[in-house]
Structures are given as structure tokens and as C-alpha cells.
């Protein structure tokens, strides 16, 4: 029953974002360190990170440009908390080790960098330090072609 209430709350929060956004930030709301209780769901570190990012992106320079969406599971269990950033015809990035108790400034800076790129490419050295070591992968856009040299 608590999961139904949680899902209803997450859906309601996501529906409030009506603007056409430039990119999507998925936040794993299931993320929690080993030994941390699953219930109540609103106390999971991933859920708290989602709420913090959702609130931070409602105002400021990225408001209306980033859609924050809850993800039930990003399958990053050994590296909580997980986030993913994607956009149409752009590279998709997957990050772990995000601290729900810390400042989200590095994540916001990384999103700004992502939006400034034509194809979402974010070289490692240009990303904030905390998002250099925590990258778990990147996926090319479906339209991407690569010539083997």
C-alpha cells in the first residue's frame, strides 16, 4: 500500500512539469545503501535525492530545461544513489555514488554542461570533480555513427 501512495505522489510531481524540456534527469528512487530499510519509501536516500533535485530545478537557470523523473530502479545497487541524464539525439550518461545529504550544485553544473553541448558529450575533465569518478557509463544516441580508424 505504501508503494501505491509513493507512486501516486511521484506521478503527481512529474505531471507538474508541463514545459517542453531540453533534457531528462532520471533519479533512482529505490537507491539505498546495503542494510538501509526499504520502508518507508520516502526515507530511501534515492527518493530524498529525487526530491532535492526536483525542488532545485523548479527555479534558477535550469528551470524548464530539465525534466526530473523518478526511476523505479537504475540497477546500480552497489553504487547508490544513481542518476541518468539523456536528451533526444544526444549521449546518455549514467552516474552512481550521488550523495542525497550533500549539495546538488555539482549535478546542476553537470546538467548545464550537458545542455551547452550540441550532442550531450561531456569530456571527463570538464565535468565537476564528483561527476568524473562517479560516471558508470555513457551511451551514444541511436543516430550516432562511428568510423573505426
Amino acid at each position: 500500500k505504501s508503494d501505491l501512495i509513493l507512486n501516486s505522489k511521484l506521478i503527481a510531481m512529474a505531471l507538474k512539469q508541463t514545459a517542453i524540456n531540453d533534457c531528462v534527469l532520471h533519479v533512482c528512487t529505490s537507491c539505498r545503501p546495503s542494510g538501509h530499510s526499504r520502508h518507508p519509501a520516502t526515507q530511501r536516500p534515492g527518493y530524498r535525492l529525487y526530491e532535492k533535485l526536483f525542488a532545485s530545478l523548479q527555479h534558477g537557470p535550469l528551470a524548464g530545461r530539465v525534466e526530473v523523473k523518478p526511476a523505479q530502479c537504475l540497477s546500480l545497487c552497489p553504487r547508490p544513489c544513481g542518476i541518468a541524464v539523456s536528451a533526444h539525439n544526444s549521449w546518455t550518461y549514467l552516474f552512481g555514488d550521488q550523495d542525497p545529504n550533500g549539495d546538488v550544485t555539482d549535478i546542476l553544473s553537470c546538467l548545464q554542461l550537458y545542455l551547452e553541448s550540441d550532442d550531450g558529450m561531456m569530456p571527463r575533465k570538464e565535468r565537476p570533480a564528483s561527476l568524473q569518478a562517479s560516471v558508470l557509463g555513457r551511451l551514444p544516441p541511436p543516430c550516432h555513427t562511428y568510423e573505426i580508424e
Side-chain angles (χ1 to χ4, degrees):
K1 186 175 182 178
S2 67
D3 284 340
L4 288 175
I5 293 168
L6 171 63
N7 288 338
S8 297
K9 184 176 179 184
L10 292 177
I11 290 168
M13 289 172 72
L15 289 175
K16 288 181 182 177
Q17 295 178 328
T18 57
I20 297 174
N21 299 285
D22 296 336
C23 74
V24 176
L25 176 67
H26 283 95
V27 183
C28 181
T29 58
S30 298
C31 273
R32 64 193 196 289
S34 179
H36 191 283
S37 176
R38 286 186 55 80
H39 301 288
T42 57
Q43 293 304 307
R44 292 180 197 151
Y47 183 85
R48 291 194 326 268
L49 180 61
Y50 167 77
E51 286 187 315
K52 186 181 279 191
L53 286 164
F54 186 91
S56 295
L57 287 162
Q58 298 307 299
H59 308 286
L62 298 178
R65 299 195 65 201
V66 179
E67 180 178 5
V68 183
K69 289 186 170 186
Q72 185 174 7
C73 181
L74 292 177
S75 201
L76 303 174
C77 301
R79 306 271 306 264
C81 292
I83 60 172
V85 61
S86 61
H88 181 70
N89 289 331
S90 294
W91 287 81
T92 295
Y93 282 81
L94 187 61
F95 297 95
D97 307 322
Q98 301 308 300
D99 182 4
N101 300 315
D103 190 357
V104 295
T105 302
D106 281 357
I107 295 173
L108 300 179
S109 295
C110 192
L111 289 168
Q112 183 67 46
L113 178 64
Y114 186 80
L115 290 168
E116 290 170 359
S117 171
D118 290 335
D119 62 359
M121 181 62 78
M122 298 186 293
R124 182 179 300 269
K125 291 183 180 187
E126 292 181 24
R127 292 191 306 262
S130 67
L131 290 147
Q132 290 177 13
S134 65
V135 68
L136 300 177
R138 73 174 181 214
L139 303 169
C143 62
H144 181 74
T145 57
Y146 175 72
E147 297 294 325
I148 299 173
E149 299 175 4

